[in-house]
Amino acid sequence: MVGHATIEWVYVGVVIALLTWVGAESWNVERLVEHVPPDAETIKVIAQQWFWSFEHEDGKKETGQLHVKQGVPYKFELISKDVIHDFNVPDYTILMDAVPGRVNVVWNLFDTPGEYRIQCREYCGFGHATMKAKLFVEPFSQTAEAAAAAATSPAAESQNATSNATAGQTPATPVQSAGPPGKPLTILQGASVQGSPNFDPDTLTVKKGDKITVTNKDTLPHTVTSGTGPADPNN
């Protein structure tokens, strides 16, 4: 009987140790997920049928694409203007609901530069499958940024001016390269959705004979016309 009791107590001790370890690890993961770093940059994510919009801390706004830096923590504040959506970046296992009337928060640090897919994982209507955006993680080069900051600092400009004056030279005038031929016309993502900030097109003024280069960044096909009507032979 004594031998059996010893085995049972060992078994109970092992089970308690495993449960304690699982609980501690779960608490640690939950703490990491919910604890937003104090130096995280805030990005407001706005979900709306059927496109994504983003607002950065500095006021910069993006639609259909989001640019972030490698190695920088970001806090995403998610809201929805209509129905429930789900903000999902599969490659980084980011998944959080965007609910009308509520602000949900999730954060992440992107460690690998590249282009990734943002999608909606909650069915939100007939355009659900096209509710996508692109995430661009730009490589962060501290050395390059430090060099650029040093080059544009007042001390560097003063030193360059002194060197030019000593050598009897005048600063060279930069040569501007010729722009691309023709007039660029870009159809932004969300241009097919009424209510989107990209729904109403801007005016493009061209001259007779000008070449127009059209780029469609929307998820749906578009037709470009001269605006004279559906019978226009140049559709």
Side-chain angles (χ1 to χ4, degrees):
M1 296 295 293
V2 176
H4 290 293
T6 302
I7 295 175
E8 291 174 356
W9 279 112
V10 170
Y11 175 78
V12 171
V14 171
V15 171
I16 292 176
L18 287 175
L19 291 176
T20 303
W21 177 78
V22 171
E25 287 298 312
S26 300
W27 176 84
N28 187 47
V29 170
E30 183 178 3
R31 180 183 62 84
L32 291 175
V33 171
E34 294 184 352
H35 178 70
V36 181
D39 59 340
E41 295 186 19
T42 301
I43 297 179
K44 186 177 181 181
V45 181
I46 305 169
Q48 184 176 351
Q49 294 174 320
W50 288 274
F51 61 93
W52 298 99
S53 300
F54 309 94
E55 296 183 7
H56 295 259
E57 282 186 349
D58 59 1
K60 178 183 177 182
K61 297 182 179 181
E62 298 183 278
T63 300
Q65 59 182 2
L66 174 62
H67 292 80
V68 297
K69 290 183 179 180
Q70 175 191 9
V72 177
Y74 289 92
K75 179 178 73 170
F76 299 100
E77 296 181 347
L78 284 74
I79 64 172
S80 172
K81 287 190 174 182
D82 37 46
V83 299
I84 296 178
H85 300 276
D86 203 323
F87 180 70
N88 176 226
V89 184
D91 292 289
Y92 279 94
T93 62
I94 299 176
L95 186 66
M96 179 61 70
D97 286 340
V99 182
R102 182 194 305 174
V103 179
N104 287 340
V105 176
V106 64
W107 77 275
N108 194 74
L109 186 148
F110 303 95
D111 54 4
T112 305
E115 178 181 329
Y116 303 93
R117 182 177 77 256
I118 298 174
Q119 62 186 14
C120 178
R121 287 292 299 273
E122 181 76 24
Y123 182 74
C124 53
F126 73 90
H128 166 70
T130 64
M131 189 169 175
K132 300 177 182 179
K134 292 183 178 180
L135 170 67
F136 297 95
V137 180
E138 301 171 348
F140 176 74
S141 174
Q142 186 173 3
T143 303
E145 290 196 359
T152 57
S153 65
E157 293 178 356
S158 176
Q159 182 177 0
N160 291 337
T162 303
S163 300
N164 289 333
T166 303
Q169 299 176 351
T170 57
T173 302
V175 179
Q176 296 183 352
S177 59
K183 297 283 187 176
L185 174 61
T186 302
I187 302 174
L188 301 176
Q189 183 170 356
S192 57
V193 181
Q194 189 170 3
S196 165
N198 297 326
F199 180 76
D200 295 323
D202 294 332
T203 301
L204 177 65
T205 303
V206 297
K207 298 178 181 179
K208 184 177 180 180
D210 283 349
K211 177 183 177 181
I212 302 175
T213 303
V214 181
T215 303
N216 184 11
K217 293 186 177 181
D218 197 14
T219 55
L220 297 176
H222 290 263
T223 300
V224 179
T225 72
S226 64
T228 59
D232 183 2
N234 296 321
N235 284 3

